[in-house]
Amino acid sequence: MKNIRNFCIIAHIDHGKSTLADRLLQTTGTISDRDMQNQALDDMDLERERGITIKSHAIQMNYHFEGEDYILNLIDTPGHVDFSYEVSRSIAACEGALLIVDATQGIEAQTISNLYLALEHDLEIIPILNKMDLASAMPEEVSDQIIELIGCKMEDIIPASGKTGLGVDKILEAVIHKIPSPKGDENAPLQAMIFDSVFNSFRGIIAYYRVKNGVIKKGQKVRFFNTGKDYFADEIGVLKMDLLPKKEVRAGDVGYIISGIKQANEVKVGDTITSPENPCESAIKGFEDVKPMVFAGIYPVDTEDYEELRFSMEKLKLNDSSLVFEPESSAALGFGFRCGFLGMLHMEIIQERLEREFNMTVITTVPNVSYHSFMRKTPDEIFIVNNPSELPDPSGVDRIEEPYIKAQIITKTEYVGSIMTLCIDKRGELKNQVYLTQDRVEITFEMPLAEIVFDFYDRLKTVSKGYASFDYHPIGYKESDLVKMDLLLNGEQVDALSALVHRNNAFDLGKRICLKLRELIPRQQFEIPIQAAIGAKIIARETIKALRKDVTAKCYGGDISRKRKLLEKQKVGKKRMRQVGRVEVPQEAFLAVLKLND
């Protein structure tokens, strides 16, 4: 066990951790040059196309160093704030972390939050300065930032380049010398923590685990602690580029288990594997339950595909345990699911994966967050509102509280003014402003989560020309003056377009949504009023004019009353039509509400 090292790679998005992982795999001979491709560990098309890591990937490398053979278990983690849950799980399975900082960009917001996660678990941190081969690298400046952040010495920082392979040998040497070997007792009862799971259509569910104590053997009976169910370990092994079967996996190592499980809900990430004959006393405390931040409805375009969508969502949940969903129905869209996501990118990725991996075309409703509403009759009881249509009758509501976040933005000094204006527009409150260096500043705001759900991140990138990094964490609920805004089409409420908004923003938002819908809803034979309403009060209105037939074309000359009679007759017909007519809302209309600023 003294020759095993478990470590993960943490960094901000796009700081080159997957490329550096490629070089580590090549140097240790885990992957041959012939099979090598960029982002070797990222096995999803989406990851390669976007150049981001969405899911953590574990792999075992063998390395011969100073006359001894070492086993290095590496976990490559995502860098985007929406996937920080994946990072927290990987950190729970490791003893050390490589902290990678881009020498051209310096320390960014997500670097800091991932570092704090690692320090909470007492991981050994190895700082690495990546992209040193670029002409725009600023090694001295960025090294000073790292020293200030983690309090290391200048000689501890390893200069490296994922592209050219510079410094890879030094990284492997540091991993062996600095990261402690895992602690555990092979003779103790079996205790292994599941940190990931994937679905294979031929083998069922494959769970990845880290053995803390004991030994897991092929064919033995195992028990999952939380669900209390027993299975046989049909196949166990370690994770190379492919799964490599073994007779046993010992304490301190990382491996996989296939036990013929077909039901998605039987494997919970964070669960403990033990043996029924000699069970361990307690489950391993690894990482906390994930809390969804953004809620949206996902509906099949064709209502008959509802069951298929449920099946697809359950499969996706195995690969991504931070996805939360429950069935719901809407008058406008039929049956679907209310889903909880960690952020907007997470929502986008799930939607794309449903389309690519399961051929499911879905409609996504306007995202919102969950609110707490308190009634006058029972002021101590919290009523959780995930969907605006669930809001109780406003006359009985005492107050509504909404979730607030603490947002950290790191940017160049020249963009501070425009970023502050953006945050204050979004009801943000400035809490702190710290100059990290002469031209880099960290601004801390407290703001409602609902305000960043829509387009905050995109607008932040625009006003800062891409030089701002953004990270946030929830700080609890605060009371706000919120109202429910309904949208009426032809007098009928469209529940999928309802939203809970701040009273001051309601008029402006209502007007903009009505204008957008007027552009997108096709004209009918009758006039369609589009109205935004708060309760019974209409706050904005637009009208889609009716398509008209020229009924007076046959009148040439003659008395004006003949023309008027024909027009009156047409008017009565249109009125009757409007009473029985139904308005179909095109799919683009639901998505367009998200892009009101375009």
Side-chain angles (χ1 to χ4, degrees), residues 49-92:
E49 279 170 29
R50 290 178 175 234
I52 57 174
T53 304
I54 292 167
K55 194 167 167 48
S56 297
H57 298 274
I59 188 156
Q60 189 179 89
M61 307 183 286
N62 296 70
Y63 190 54
H64 189 74
F65 181 73
E66 293 179 351
E68 289 200 45
D69 287 320
Y70 288 90
I71 291 173
L72 310 178
N73 290 313
L74 157 74
I75 303 179
D76 179 23
T77 63
H80 194 279
V81 60
D82 280 9
F83 304 111
S84 52
Y85 177 59
E86 293 272 339
V87 182
S88 83
R89 300 196 328 228
S90 312
I91 284 173

Side-chain angles (χ1 to χ4, degrees), residues 123-399:
L123 263 61
E124 180 64 43
I125 308 288
I126 298 174
I128 295 166
L129 206 52
N130 197 16
K131 304 196 184 178
M132 286 293 281
D133 57 313
L134 295 179
S136 55
M138 310 172 286
E140 292 84 10
E141 200 178 308
V142 180
S143 298
D144 290 343
Q145 290 176 22
I146 296 175
I147 291 165
E148 207 171 296
L149 183 66
I150 62 174
C152 62
K153 296 188 181 72
M154 190 67 166
E155 54 269 22
D156 294 342
I157 300 171
I158 303 171
S161 162
K163 196 182 270 183
T164 62
L166 165 79
V168 172
D169 297 337
K170 285 200 178 118
I171 294 171
L172 289 166
E173 190 181 323
V175 165
I176 289 165
H177 285 319
K178 291 186 181 172
I179 294 176
S181 56
K183 294 174 179 61
D185 181 1
E186 291 189 358
N187 302 318
L190 172 65
Q191 198 183 27
M193 179 183 73
I194 299 175
F195 65 86
D196 209 350
S197 62
V198 292
F199 184 83
N200 181 308
S201 42
F202 303 108
R203 316 290 304 270
I205 290 158
I206 304 172
Y208 299 159
Y209 55 84
R210 152 83 197 271
V211 186
K212 291 275 186 191
N213 292 308
V215 178
I216 185 165
K217 294 182 176 154
K218 184 179 176 177
Q220 83 168 76
K221 207 173 187 185
V222 293
R223 173 170 294 164
F224 285 25
F225 211 90
N226 282 357
T227 54
K229 295 196 171 175
D230 294 354
Y231 305 98
F232 284 100
D234 299 337
E235 183 180 312
I236 58 164
V238 293
L239 305 152
K240 295 282 193 180
M241 281 312 281
D242 295 314
L243 304 178
L244 181 70
K246 293 255 180 184
K247 288 275 189 292
E248 57 182 30
V249 178
R250 299 181 160 279
D253 217 341
V254 172
Y256 71 90
I257 177 169
I258 299 174
S259 48
I261 304 172
K262 292 281 188 284
Q263 291 299 317
N265 53 8
E266 288 180 28
V267 176
K268 287 190 170 59
V269 168
D271 201 351
T272 302
I273 302 175
T274 186
S275 70
E277 290 85 22
N278 184 10
C280 56
E281 289 171 15
S282 63
I284 301 168
K285 294 278 179 288
F287 35 85
E288 67 286 346
D289 265 349
V290 59
K291 291 186 185 67
M293 291 284 179
V294 172
F295 292 86
I298 286 189
Y299 293 86
V301 171
D302 190 345
T303 17
E304 291 166 7
D305 296 339
Y306 173 72
E307 279 304 322
E308 206 173 313
L309 180 61
R310 178 201 292 277
F311 183 62
S312 309
M313 299 282 269
E314 281 174 358
K315 292 265 193 67
L316 256 188
K317 188 169 168 58
L318 272 176
N319 281 324
D320 183 352
S321 51
S322 50
L323 172 67
V324 181
F325 64 91
E326 55 184 41
E328 73 162 2
S329 63
S330 144
L333 299 169
F335 290 103
F337 294 96
R338 184 101 203 131
C339 305
F341 307 98
L342 299 182
M344 287 297 279
L345 179 71
H346 187 208
M347 177 176 132
E348 218 177 293
I349 296 291
I350 293 291
Q351 205 178 330
E352 282 217 25
R353 287 184 70 183
L354 280 171
E355 287 186 10
R356 286 179 183 217
E357 295 171 30
F358 304 100
N359 291 329
M360 293 297 307
T361 318
V362 292
I363 296 174
T364 311
T365 63
V366 182
N368 55 22
V369 296
S370 65
Y371 299 91
H372 287 174
S373 116
F374 296 85
M375 308 304 286
R376 285 201 182 96
K377 287 180 182 169
T378 53
D380 298 332
E381 198 181 323
I382 297 178
F383 189 82
I384 296 174
V385 181
N386 284 337
N387 190 344
S389 56
E390 294 171 6
L391 188 72
D393 180 23
S395 58
V397 173
D398 178 35
R399 65 184 192 281

Side-chain angles (χ1 to χ4, degrees), residues 558-567:
D559 191 356
I560 186 71
S561 57
R562 284 178 62 202
K563 283 187 179 178
R564 204 161 284 147
K565 193 170 145 194
L566 288 166
L567 287 168

Side-chain angles (χ1 to χ4, degrees), residues 528-542:
I528 309 169
I530 304 169
Q531 296 161 312
I534 296 173
K537 183 184 177 188
I538 304 293
I539 56 168
R541 169 177 171 139
E542 292 290 329

